[in-house]
Amino acid sequence: MMAGHDALLAGIDRAGVQALVQGRHGDPFSILGRHPTSKGDAVRVFMPGATSVEAVTRDTNEITRLRLVHADGVFAGLVGHDARYRLRIHWPDAIQEMEDPYNFGLLLGDLDLHLIGQGTHYELSRVLGAQPMTVEGVPGVRFAVWAPNARRVSVVGDFNSWDGRRNPMRLRGEAGIWELFVPRLGPGERYKYEMVGPHGQLLPQKADPVARAGEAAPGTASIVARSEPFPWTDAEWMSSRGARQSETSPISVYEVHAGSWMRLEQEGNRSLDWTELADRLIPYVSGMGFTHIELLPITEYPFGGSWGYQPLGLFAPTGRYGTPEDFAEFVNRCHEAGLGVILDWVPAHFPTDIWGLAQFDGTALYEHQDPREGFHQDWNTLIYNLGRNEVKGFLIASALHWLERFHIDALRVDAVASMLYRDYSRQAGEWIPNKYGGRENLEAIEFFKHLNSIVAHRCQGAITIAEESTAFPGVTKPTEESGLGFTFKWNMGWMHDTLHYVEQDPVYRSYNHGAFTFGMVYAYSERFILPLSHDEVVHGKGSLIRKMPGDEWQRFANLRAYFGYMWAHPGKKLLFMGGEIAQDREWNHDASISWELLDNPRHAGVQRLVRDLNRIYAAEPALHGTDNDPAGFEWAVVDDSGNSVFAMLRLARDGSSLILAVSNMTPVPRMSYRIGVPKAGTWHEILNTDAGIYGGSNLGNGGALQAEEIPSHGRPFSLSVVLPPLSTVLLRLG
């Protein structure tokens, strides 16, 4: 320290000032800011690189030149008691005026801190992170971050030349939260946190875990987002979505990777932004008759090749496609068009990038310390420590952020099975049993119950969907009945079994007949969605059309028949983009869907079929209203393995519609196939996947059939049906 300034540095030892200038001091407010002395209030600032600093009183514009009291940039001077002041900082090439960040008091309330520690603060996005606000008449941004084991935390950004010495933060020790109000900042500022770890080590600068916006990749900085409410115009949708998303409603989901649905080759193969997606994707999906758009994760993620499934910004829409406001407007326009929006959400794991959550404050804060609990061997990612209140609260607050702030209608929770089992994808000795010696992850089970209970309580009409690939019991059972509380579950077993069946040459299908029917054995054990998802068209699995056997005509007929069977089968529907046009190449996240294929009548025919299936599915209560009611389903023909014929009866709850769906999964037409039906009358052919308009041979039943009083299959009446080759036919009574 420089001699002759004892009054200005009264009560501060040399070691404290040295720690400050070296960026190691954990309590900057004890030195910086206003401090009363016998001769007036001493104002101390640390501005490394400044040539001079002045304190200017806000009421009288009186100027006090602060003295350099430490050669590395500590300035100090006296101002009148309680005088309000701002700083005028002279840099070598500029003059900056701002209020002193260290002249503001505590900002976070005790209740906020208590709830954060309890893991029950469900609005973290308005408390932590970067919050534009006005304090004592001064606009600025309050930064707050959870880092309980750090010795020093600073906010850095363009505003302070990314210098961690300039804006060290104040620790609220009772919750491990560091906070600082930086005047005269606003939305759009880039920032990160710089920390000194518990052992005195300088850590890599970290992005904000609760940032509400982030730089587009490959940038990694957080961005101060706006806090104003979005101008929503979707009140009608929000009030009715509960009925639209119930177990008795038609739900047909179009799964989309926003970056590759359509790319503009003439503009460097760039992706569409949210505004362009709203202009093109929404009318397309609506016109195709889907009820929902499901987006692969759009929470901020570093590596494009992860498709969002390794996210780091759980509160920020990725900057790849625009601002948070742009994304909100996309959701708003979906709702105005009558479409629900589902987000894939990933609480299972996070990547190891050094600027992210890994070893965030120099310790295993968000993840487990022991790799037997905290490291995913399959994905080289880290696993959230759900036994820690703050981590559990962080994840639940993220879920609520999307549902409440962005009006998202549903969260599809990714990789649920990996969370439910401690031995998931691990060999003996590579995992730690629970306290009872079992493999179940008790903390994850409790987390899901808590999450789903809170969502049901706070977010009227919103739903949750589990991607759960095992037979874990009670995934969609209510939490009050000891279930996990999800609304729906992806039926992964149905997907794998039926795809295995249709991939077989028809000559061998009779030996695998049960694969096509086995799903009905457990169809009512959960509330299911039947998914043909992105996972089935990547990693060398090829496209749906390429899975089909036979020549080109047979491959298309197979796919059309399979789609017909899927839409007639109990369970809500999901189809990944490109499947509806029978895209013939495997999905590539760096390329657009092959829209040019629609010039080919066969591809256009599949698209028309999916559109018509969605239309009929939504119009017929028999096809959607009893997905979870065994009384709404009967096998009409289940055991004809020799002919590979399947026939289902679907019945509406009120008896208003009765539909017979018949699939012939061989290329042999069956001209007079008799099927027993429960009622007499005229059965109208409302859909035939072999119709010429879909690219088929146009063999059918002339529009209608009359039930005959000829018993068959244990029923008093029967139909003599023409079954076209590789087809599904839907017949409606009346």
Side-chain angles (χ1 to χ4, degrees):
M1 290 187 292
M2 305 179 74
H5 303 297
D6 291 344
L8 298 176
L9 295 174
I12 304 172
D13 59 22
R14 292 176 178 270
V17 176
Q18 195 63 27
L20 178 71
V21 301
Q22 292 176 352
R24 295 184 291 105
H25 204 291
D27 185 14
F29 280 80
S30 66
I31 297 176
L32 302 177
R34 178 202 300 271
H35 294 268
T37 73
S38 58
K39 297 183 178 180
D41 287 352
V43 172
R44 310 185 194 107
V45 300
F46 179 42
M47 297 291 173
T51 57
S52 64
V53 180
E54 299 164 338
V56 182
T57 58
R58 291 170 60 185
D59 297 330
T60 64
N61 285 327
E62 181 181 344
I63 298 174
T64 300
R65 184 179 179 88
L66 305 186
R67 302 175 184 177
L68 183 66
V69 296
H70 191 286
D72 286 332
V74 179
F75 296 83
L78 296 175
V79 297
H81 285 300
D82 299 325
R84 298 192 303 168
Y85 66 93
R86 64 183 184 274
L87 301 174
R88 182 177 294 156
I89 307 154
H90 295 258
W91 304 103
D93 55 358
I95 298 176
Q96 176 187 10
E97 287 207 8
M98 62 178 291
E99 284 72 20
D100 184 355
Y102 300 93
N103 195 32
F104 293 89
L106 301 175
L107 298 175
L108 288 174
D110 291 338
L111 180 58
D112 285 326
L113 298 176
H114 172 74
L115 294 176
I116 292 171
Q118 292 286 314
T120 56
H121 202 308
Y122 301 128
E123 298 181 17
L124 286 185
S125 59
R126 70 166 179 81
V127 176
L128 299 183
Q131 304 293 331
M133 60 178 56
T134 298
V135 178
E136 299 177 10
V138 178
V141 176
R142 184 193 69 201
F143 296 93
V145 62
W146 179 55
N149 303 302
R151 288 189 181 181
R152 186 265 294 170
V153 180
S154 297
V155 59
V156 296
D158 296 322
F159 53 89
N160 62 13
S161 301
W162 302 89
D163 185 344
R165 299 173 299 167
R166 290 263 300 275
N167 288 118
M169 305 172 76
R170 185 205 311 263
L171 175 63
R172 306 295 298 276
E174 61 270 41
I177 305 293
W178 298 76
E179 67 171 18
L180 185 70
F181 178 72
V182 182
R184 305 297 170 182
L185 296 186
E189 290 280 356
R190 301 190 307 152
Y191 72 99
K192 284 186 177 181
Y193 297 112
E194 183 180 282
M195 302 183 217
V196 173
H199 305 296
Q201 74 278 29
L202 184 65
L203 304 177
Q205 291 180 347
K206 298 282 190 175
D208 189 344
V210 191
R212 292 177 290 115
E215 274 192 300
T220 60
S222 302
I223 295 177
V224 178
R226 298 184 180 278
S227 295
E228 298 88 357
F230 302 120
W232 296 102
T233 58
D234 63 348
E236 182 179 352
W237 168 271
M238 294 295 285
S239 64
S240 65
R241 68 177 181 179
R244 295 171 182 256
Q245 301 188 138
S246 75
E247 62 180 284
T248 60
S249 300
I251 296 177
S252 183
V253 182
Y254 188 64
E255 189 188 26
V256 174
H257 177 254
S260 61
W261 179 75
M262 182 178 290
R263 284 178 173 251
L264 301 179
E265 294 184 11
Q266 67 275 23
E267 297 183 28
N269 199 40
R270 73 168 178 85
S271 300
L272 303 183
D273 60 29
W274 290 122
T275 301
E276 292 166 323
L277 283 166
D279 291 340
R280 303 189 189 195
L281 175 62
I282 291 174
Y284 176 77
V285 175
S286 180
M288 285 294 294
F290 290 98
T291 63
H292 288 70
I293 294 173
E294 178 170 332
L295 296 170
L296 271 61
I298 54 91
T299 46
E300 191 58 81
Y301 56 99
F303 175 50
S306 78
W307 316 323
Y309 288 101
Q310 294 188 10
L312 277 178
L314 286 190
F315 293 79
T318 179
R320 290 167 172 81
Y321 315 124
T323 67
E325 290 77 16
D326 295 334
F327 175 65
E329 180 57 22
F330 171 82
V331 175
N332 193 59
R333 289 178 62 180
C334 283
H335 289 171
E336 289 182 329
L339 292 172
V341 181
I342 303 170
L343 286 192
D344 280 10
W345 181 68
V346 187
H349 60 134
F350 58 90
T352 59
D353 301 72
I354 60 172
W355 48 269
L357 298 178
Q359 293 283 308
F360 185 74
D361 63 356
T363 68
L365 191 63
Y366 286 88
E367 68 271 35
H368 292 273
Q369 177 68 45
D370 192 320
R372 293 175 296 172
E373 295 183 284
F375 185 73
H376 260 308
Q377 301 173 109
D378 292 353
W379 305 317
N380 294 318
T381 53
L382 298 172
I383 300 171
Y384 287 103
N385 182 357
L386 296 176
R388 188 160 195 167
N389 286 339
E390 295 92 341
V391 174
K392 181 174 64 176
F394 168 81
L395 292 171
I396 292 175
S398 165
L400 294 173
H401 178 71
W402 297 102
L403 296 170
E404 295 179 341
R405 180 161 176 78
F406 288 100
H407 288 198
I408 296 302
D409 303 294
L411 296 177
R412 198 279 281 177
V413 183
D414 182 63
V416 169
S418 75
M419 300 174 68
L420 290 174
Y421 298 101
R422 287 175 164 266
D423 64 345
Y424 181 86
S425 195
R426 296 179 188 272
Q427 301 299 317
E430 295 178 345
W431 58 283
I432 299 175
N434 63 36
K435 63 183 179 180
Y436 302 113
R439 59 195 287 256
E440 296 80 10
N441 189 321
L442 304 179
E443 293 81 10
I445 292 170
E446 190 279 331
F447 167 75
F448 286 129
K449 291 180 178 181
H450 192 175
L451 167 70
N452 288 319
S453 296
I454 293 296
V455 169
H457 176 71
R458 290 178 60 119
C459 306
Q460 181 179 5
I463 64 175
T464 58
I465 303 163
E467 186 214 20
E468 203 283 307
S469 55
T470 74
F472 190 91
V475 172
T476 59
K477 183 181 288 188
T479 55
E480 58 268 24
E481 298 177 20
S482 300
L484 296 186
F486 285 95
T487 315
F488 295 105
K489 170 182 169 174
W490 273 19
N491 195 335
M492 313 289 279
W494 179 91
M495 175 182 67
H496 291 304
D497 289 345
T498 57
L499 280 175
H500 173 71
Y501 179 86
V502 297
E503 288 171 359
Q504 307 258 343
D505 188 293
V507 74
Y508 301 116
R509 286 178 178 169
S510 62
Y511 304 107
N512 294 275
H513 193 78
F516 223 41
T517 62
F518 184 66
M520 286 309 303
V521 172
Y522 58 87
Y524 305 108
S525 62
E526 303 279 2
R527 292 187 296 272
F528 283 121
I529 292 175
L530 310 182
L532 291 177
S533 73
H534 65 280
D535 280 330
E536 304 313 306
V537 292
V538 292
H539 302 321
K541 296 178 183 177
S543 65
L544 290 179
I545 191 68
R546 289 294 171 189
K547 296 179 192 295
M548 304 297 132
D551 59 25
E552 183 178 17
W553 189 93
Q554 290 187 359
R555 288 192 293 109
F556 276 87
N558 259 303
L559 183 61
R560 294 194 304 267
Y562 182 40
F563 281 164
Y565 180 82
M566 173 180 174
W567 259 257
H569 193 285
K572 310 309 179 186
K573 323 302 175 189
L574 179 141
L575 182 63
F576 183 59
M577 64 182 197
E580 82 281 10
I581 65 168
Q583 178 161 302
D584 57 2
R585 61 169 174 79
E586 186 173 274
W587 172 51
N588 175 5
H589 65 271
D590 288 325
S592 178
I593 289 175
S594 302
W595 296 109
E596 68 279 2
L597 293 175
L598 291 175
D599 293 333
N600 182 317
R602 283 181 174 158
H603 292 275
V606 173
Q607 184 191 48
R608 181 169 184 172
L609 171 66
V610 172
R611 183 187 301 120
D612 287 350
L613 283 169
N614 277 330
R615 174 183 55 79
I616 292 170
Y617 167 69
E620 296 292 343
L623 293 179
H624 64 255
T626 56
D627 282 327
N628 301 286
D629 184 354
F633 175 90
E634 292 181 27
W635 283 114
V637 177
V638 69
D639 56 357
D640 189 0
S641 59
N643 291 313
S644 297
V645 170
F646 308 83
M648 298 178 279
L649 283 165
R650 300 294 307 276
L651 176 67
R653 287 181 190 275
D654 60 3
S656 61
S657 80
L658 176 61
I659 289 178
L660 175 68
V662 191
S663 297
N664 173 17
M665 299 307 293
T666 72
V668 179
R670 316 218 177 261
M671 302 308 295
S672 298
Y673 192 94
R674 189 161 293 279
I675 302 176
V677 293
K679 294 184 178 182
T682 303
W683 292 71
H684 293 91
E685 188 177 73
I686 59 174
L687 185 131
N688 180 348
T689 66
D690 190 55
I693 57 173
Y694 304 138
S697 65
N698 219 27
L699 185 65
N701 293 279
L705 292 171
Q706 196 70 30
E708 301 174 88
E709 198 169 346
I710 300 175
S712 182
H713 298 97
R715 295 182 176 87
F717 305 96
S718 62
L719 300 171
S720 179
V721 185
V722 172
L723 301 183
L726 295 171
S727 68
T728 295
V729 175
L730 300 185
L731 299 162
R732 186 187 193 279
L733 176 63

PDB file of all heavy atoms in Angstrom, residues 513-533:
ATOM      1  N   HIS A 513     -45.424 -63.823 -35.642  1.00  0.00           N
ATOM      2  CA  HIS A 513     -46.768 -63.237 -35.563  1.00  0.00           C
ATOM      3  C   HIS A 513     -47.003 -62.503 -34.238  1.00  0.00           C
ATOM      4  O   HIS A 513     -47.573 -61.415 -34.199  1.00  0.00           O
ATOM      5  CB  HIS A 513     -47.801 -64.352 -35.746  1.00  0.00           C
ATOM      6  CG  HIS A 513     -49.187 -63.872 -35.996  1.00  0.00           C
ATOM      7  ND1 HIS A 513     -49.612 -63.412 -37.223  1.00  0.00           N
ATOM      8  CD2 HIS A 513     -50.272 -63.786 -35.171  1.00  0.00           C
ATOM      9  CE1 HIS A 513     -50.890 -63.062 -37.163  1.00  0.00           C
ATOM     10  NE2 HIS A 513     -51.322 -63.283 -35.923  1.00  0.00           N
ATOM     11  N   GLY A 514     -46.535 -63.102 -33.137  1.00  0.00           N
ATOM     12  CA  GLY A 514     -46.786 -62.527 -31.824  1.00  0.00           C
ATOM     13  C   GLY A 514     -46.128 -61.186 -31.583  1.00  0.00           C
ATOM     14  O   GLY A 514     -46.581 -60.416 -30.720  1.00  0.00           O
ATOM     15  N   ALA A 515     -45.085 -60.861 -32.346  1.00  0.00           N
ATOM     16  CA  ALA A 515     -44.426 -59.565 -32.156  1.00  0.00           C
ATOM     17  C   ALA A 515     -45.353 -58.412 -32.486  1.00  0.00           C
ATOM     18  O   ALA A 515     -45.231 -57.317 -31.928  1.00  0.00           O
ATOM     19  CB  ALA A 515     -43.161 -59.481 -33.020  1.00  0.00           C
ATOM     20  N   PHE A 516     -46.316 -58.674 -33.407  1.00  0.00           N
ATOM     21  CA  PHE A 516     -47.224 -57.612 -33.828  1.00  0.00           C
ATOM     22  C   PHE A 516     -48.391 -57.458 -32.867  1.00  0.00           C
ATOM     23  O   PHE A 516     -49.071 -56.428 -32.874  1.00  0.00           O
ATOM     24  CB  PHE A 516     -47.729 -57.914 -35.238  1.00  0.00           C
ATOM     25  CG  PHE A 516     -47.755 -56.724 -36.157  1.00  0.00           C
ATOM     26  CD1 PHE A 516     -46.726 -55.800 -36.178  1.00  0.00           C
ATOM     27  CD2 PHE A 516     -48.807 -56.525 -37.040  1.00  0.00           C
ATOM     28  CE1 PHE A 516     -46.738 -54.705 -37.033  1.00  0.00           C
ATOM     29  CE2 PHE A 516     -48.846 -55.438 -37.898  1.00  0.00           C
ATOM     30  CZ  PHE A 516     -47.801 -54.527 -37.882  1.00  0.00           C
ATOM     31  N   THR A 517     -48.643 -58.456 -32.068  1.00  0.00           N
ATOM     32  CA  THR A 517     -49.809 -58.421 -31.180  1.00  0.00           C
ATOM     33  C   THR A 517     -49.441 -58.304 -29.705  1.00  0.00           C
ATOM     34  O   THR A 517     -50.300 -58.010 -28.876  1.00  0.00           O
ATOM     35  CB  THR A 517     -50.642 -59.704 -31.347  1.00  0.00           C
ATOM     36  OG1 THR A 517     -49.842 -60.838 -30.974  1.00  0.00           O
ATOM     37  CG2 THR A 517     -51.108 -59.861 -32.784  1.00  0.00           C
ATOM     38  N   PHE A 518     -48.165 -58.513 -29.379  1.00  0.00           N
ATOM     39  CA  PHE A 518     -47.771 -58.604 -27.975  1.00  0.00           C
ATOM     40  C   PHE A 518     -48.060 -57.315 -27.211  1.00  0.00           C
ATOM     41  O   PHE A 518     -48.329 -57.341 -26.006  1.00  0.00           O
ATOM     42  CB  PHE A 518     -46.290 -58.959 -27.866  1.00  0.00           C
ATOM     43  CG  PHE A 518     -45.821 -59.155 -26.449  1.00  0.00           C
ATOM     44  CD1 PHE A 518     -46.288 -60.212 -25.690  1.00  0.00           C
ATOM     45  CD2 PHE A 518     -44.926 -58.263 -25.869  1.00  0.00           C
ATOM     46  CE1 PHE A 518     -45.875 -60.401 -24.384  1.00  0.00           C
ATOM     47  CE2 PHE A 518     -44.509 -58.435 -24.556  1.00  0.00           C
ATOM     48  CZ  PHE A 518     -44.982 -59.503 -23.816  1.00  0.00           C
ATOM     49  N   GLY A 519     -48.034 -56.191 -27.886  1.00  0.00           N
ATOM     50  CA  GLY A 519     -48.270 -54.924 -27.204  1.00  0.00           C
ATOM     51  C   GLY A 519     -49.600 -54.853 -26.496  1.00  0.00           C
ATOM     52  O   GLY A 519     -49.748 -54.146 -25.489  1.00  0.00           O
ATOM     53  N   MET A 520     -50.578 -55.583 -26.980  1.00  0.00           N
ATOM     54  CA  MET A 520     -51.896 -55.548 -26.338  1.00  0.00           C
ATOM     55  C   MET A 520     -51.917 -56.317 -25.023  1.00  0.00           C
ATOM     56  O   MET A 520     -52.841 -56.140 -24.225  1.00  0.00           O
ATOM     57  CB  MET A 520     -52.961 -56.102 -27.289  1.00  0.00           C
ATOM     58  CG  MET A 520     -53.323 -55.169 -28.434  1.00  0.00           C
ATOM     59  SD  MET A 520     -53.726 -53.481 -27.916  1.00  0.00           S
ATOM     60  CE  MET A 520     -55.061 -53.768 -26.762  1.00  0.00           C
ATOM     61  N   VAL A 521     -50.910 -57.143 -24.766  1.00  0.00           N
ATOM     62  CA  VAL A 521     -50.841 -57.866 -23.496  1.00  0.00           C
ATOM     63  C   VAL A 521     -50.686 -56.884 -22.338  1.00  0.00           C
ATOM     64  O   VAL A 521     -51.240 -57.091 -21.244  1.00  0.00           O
ATOM     65  CB  VAL A 521     -49.692 -58.884 -23.518  1.00  0.00           C
ATOM     66  CG1 VAL A 521     -49.486 -59.512 -22.136  1.00  0.00           C
ATOM     67  CG2 VAL A 521     -49.948 -59.959 -24.570  1.00  0.00           C
ATOM     68  N   TYR A 522     -49.959 -55.786 -22.586  1.00  0.00           N
ATOM     69  CA  TYR A 522     -49.698 -54.817 -21.522  1.00  0.00           C
ATOM     70  C   TYR A 522     -50.198 -53.415 -21.880  1.00  0.00           C
ATOM     71  O   TYR A 522     -49.831 -52.430 -21.226  1.00  0.00           O
ATOM     72  CB  TYR A 522     -48.194 -54.759 -21.216  1.00  0.00           C
ATOM     73  CG  TYR A 522     -47.320 -54.396 -22.393  1.00  0.00           C
ATOM     74  CD1 TYR A 522     -47.054 -53.067 -22.707  1.00  0.00           C
ATOM     75  CD2 TYR A 522     -46.762 -55.384 -23.208  1.00  0.00           C
ATOM     76  CE1 TYR A 522     -46.250 -52.729 -23.788  1.00  0.00           C
ATOM     77  CE2 TYR A 522     -45.967 -55.065 -24.288  1.00  0.00           C
ATOM     78  CZ  TYR A 522     -45.711 -53.738 -24.578  1.00  0.00           C
ATOM     79  OH  TYR A 522     -44.931 -53.408 -25.655  1.00  0.00           O
ATOM     80  N   ALA A 523     -51.054 -53.321 -22.884  1.00  0.00           N
ATOM     81  CA  ALA A 523     -51.466 -52.008 -23.409  1.00  0.00           C
ATOM     82  C   ALA A 523     -52.132 -51.128 -22.367  1.00  0.00           C
ATOM     83  O   ALA A 523     -52.108 -49.893 -22.479  1.00  0.00           O
ATOM     84  CB  ALA A 523     -52.415 -52.198 -24.595  1.00  0.00           C
ATOM     85  N   TYR A 524     -52.727 -51.703 -21.328  1.00  0.00           N
ATOM     86  CA  TYR A 524     -53.456 -50.916 -20.339  1.00  0.00           C
ATOM     87  C   TYR A 524     -52.720 -50.860 -19.001  1.00  0.00           C
ATOM     88  O   TYR A 524     -53.277 -50.415 -18.002  1.00  0.00           O
ATOM     89  CB  TYR A 524     -54.870 -51.480 -20.172  1.00  0.00           C
ATOM     90  CG  TYR A 524     -55.604 -51.544 -21.492  1.00  0.00           C
ATOM     91  CD1 TYR A 524     -55.849 -52.767 -22.111  1.00  0.00           C
ATOM     92  CD2 TYR A 524     -55.999 -50.377 -22.143  1.00  0.00           C
ATOM     93  CE1 TYR A 524     -56.492 -52.832 -23.338  1.00  0.00           C
ATOM     94  CE2 TYR A 524     -56.640 -50.432 -23.373  1.00  0.00           C
ATOM     95  CZ  TYR A 524     -56.884 -51.654 -23.969  1.00  0.00           C
ATOM     96  OH  TYR A 524     -57.511 -51.697 -25.186  1.00  0.00           O
ATOM     97  N   SER A 525     -51.455 -51.286 -18.996  1.00  0.00           N
ATOM     98  CA  SER A 525     -50.656 -51.193 -17.775  1.00  0.00           C
ATOM     99  C   SER A 525     -50.186 -49.769 -17.518  1.00  0.00           C
ATOM    100  O   SER A 525     -49.873 -49.400 -16.381  1.00  0.00           O
ATOM    101  CB  SER A 525     -49.453 -52.137 -17.854  1.00  0.00           C
ATOM    102  OG  SER A 525     -48.598 -51.769 -18.929  1.00  0.00           O
ATOM    103  N   GLU A 526     -50.100 -48.971 -18.578  1.00  0.00           N
ATOM    104  CA  GLU A 526     -49.745 -47.552 -18.490  1.00  0.00           C
ATOM    105  C   GLU A 526     -50.580 -46.803 -19.531  1.00  0.00           C
ATOM    106  O   GLU A 526     -51.250 -47.415 -20.375  1.00  0.00           O
ATOM    107  CB  GLU A 526     -48.248 -47.332 -18.788  1.00  0.00           C
ATOM    108  CG  GLU A 526     -47.270 -48.099 -17.920  1.00  0.00           C
ATOM    109  CD  GLU A 526     -47.026 -47.453 -16.560  1.00  0.00           C
ATOM    110  OE1 GLU A 526     -47.663 -46.414 -16.262  1.00  0.00           O
ATOM    111  OE2 GLU A 526     -46.192 -47.977 -15.796  1.00  0.00           O
ATOM    112  N   ARG A 527     -50.512 -45.472 -19.490  1.00  0.00           N
ATOM    113  CA  ARG A 527     -51.101 -44.661 -20.558  1.00  0.00           C
ATOM    114  C   ARG A 527     -49.988 -44.407 -21.579  1.00  0.00           C
ATOM    115  O   ARG A 527     -49.018 -43.695 -21.286  1.00  0.00           O
ATOM    116  CB  ARG A 527     -51.658 -43.352 -20.002  1.00  0.00           C
ATOM    117  CG  ARG A 527     -52.877 -43.547 -19.102  1.00  0.00           C
ATOM    118  CD  ARG A 527     -53.504 -42.226 -18.715  1.00  0.00           C
ATOM    119  NE  ARG A 527     -52.601 -41.425 -17.904  1.00  0.00           N
ATOM    120  CZ  ARG A 527     -52.506 -41.489 -16.590  1.00  0.00           C
ATOM    121  NH1 ARG A 527     -53.263 -42.336 -15.905  1.00  0.00           N
ATOM    122  NH2 ARG A 527     -51.663 -40.717 -15.925  1.00  0.00           N
ATOM    123  N   PHE A 528     -50.156 -44.948 -22.773  1.00  0.00           N
ATOM    124  CA  PHE A 528     -49.041 -45.018 -23.715  1.00  0.00           C
ATOM    125  C   PHE A 528     -49.158 -44.048 -24.880  1.00  0.00           C
ATOM    126  O   PHE A 528     -50.255 -43.735 -25.352  1.00  0.00           O
ATOM    127  CB  PHE A 528     -48.916 -46.432 -24.279  1.00  0.00           C
ATOM    128  CG  PHE A 528     -48.284 -47.428 -23.346  1.00  0.00           C
ATOM    129  CD1 PHE A 528     -48.980 -48.564 -22.958  1.00  0.00           C
ATOM    130  CD2 PHE A 528     -46.992 -47.235 -22.868  1.00  0.00           C
ATOM    131  CE1 PHE A 528     -48.403 -49.504 -22.118  1.00  0.00           C
ATOM    132  CE2 PHE A 528     -46.412 -48.169 -22.017  1.00  0.00           C
ATOM    133  CZ  PHE A 528     -47.111 -49.305 -21.644  1.00  0.00           C
ATOM    134  N   ILE A 529     -47.983 -43.644 -25.368  1.00  0.00           N
ATOM    135  CA  ILE A 529     -47.806 -43.024 -26.679  1.00  0.00           C
ATOM    136  C   ILE A 529     -46.999 -44.010 -27.516  1.00  0.00           C
ATOM    137  O   ILE A 529     -45.998 -44.556 -27.056  1.00  0.00           O
ATOM    138  CB  ILE A 529     -47.072 -41.677 -26.575  1.00  0.00           C
ATOM    139  CG1 ILE A 529     -47.959 -40.640 -25.866  1.00  0.00           C
ATOM    140  CG2 ILE A 529     -46.659 -41.170 -27.953  1.00  0.00           C
ATOM    141  CD1 ILE A 529     -47.267 -39.318 -25.614  1.00  0.00           C
ATOM    142  N   LEU A 530     -47.454 -44.263 -28.749  1.00  0.00           N
ATOM    143  CA  LEU A 530     -46.727 -45.144 -29.663  1.00  0.00           C
ATOM    144  C   LEU A 530     -45.733 -44.294 -30.452  1.00  0.00           C
ATOM    145  O   LEU A 530     -46.148 -43.474 -31.277  1.00  0.00           O
ATOM    146  CB  LEU A 530     -47.696 -45.842 -30.614  1.00  0.00           C
ATOM    147  CG  LEU A 530     -48.908 -46.539 -29.989  1.00  0.00           C
ATOM    148  CD1 LEU A 530     -49.743 -47.211 -31.076  1.00  0.00           C
ATOM    149  CD2 LEU A 530     -48.477 -47.551 -28.934  1.00  0.00           C
ATOM    150  N   PRO A 531     -44.432 -44.453 -30.222  1.00  0.00           N
ATOM    151  CA  PRO A 531     -43.469 -43.563 -30.867  1.00  0.00           C
ATOM    152  C   PRO A 531     -42.706 -44.234 -32.009  1.00  0.00           C
ATOM    153  O   PRO A 531     -42.164 -45.331 -31.876  1.00  0.00           O
ATOM    154  CB  PRO A 531     -42.500 -43.256 -29.714  1.00  0.00           C
ATOM    155  CG  PRO A 531     -42.479 -44.536 -28.909  1.00  0.00           C
ATOM    156  CD  PRO A 531     -43.808 -45.234 -29.131  1.00  0.00           C
ATOM    157  N   LEU A 532     -42.671 -43.564 -33.138  1.00  0.00           N
ATOM    158  CA  LEU A 532     -41.682 -43.856 -34.168  1.00  0.00           C
ATOM    159  C   LEU A 532     -40.777 -42.632 -34.190  1.00  0.00           C
ATOM    160  O   LEU A 532     -40.994 -41.680 -34.938  1.00  0.00           O
ATOM    161  CB  LEU A 532     -42.350 -44.102 -35.521  1.00  0.00           C
ATOM    162  CG  LEU A 532     -43.165 -45.401 -35.623  1.00  0.00           C
ATOM    163  CD1 LEU A 532     -43.841 -45.503 -36.987  1.00  0.00           C
ATOM    164  CD2 LEU A 532     -42.292 -46.627 -35.358  1.00  0.00           C
ATOM    165  N   SER A 533     -39.775 -42.637 -33.331  1.00  0.00           N
ATOM    166  CA  SER A 533     -39.031 -41.426 -32.994  1.00  0.00           C
ATOM    167  C   SER A 533     -37.728 -41.317 -33.779  1.00  0.00           C
ATOM    168  O   SER A 533     -37.367 -42.187 -34.571  1.00  0.00           O
ATOM    169  CB  SER A 533     -38.720 -41.413 -31.496  1.00  0.00           C
ATOM    170  OG  SER A 533     -37.696 -42.361 -31.201  1.00  0.00           O
TER     171      SER A 533
END
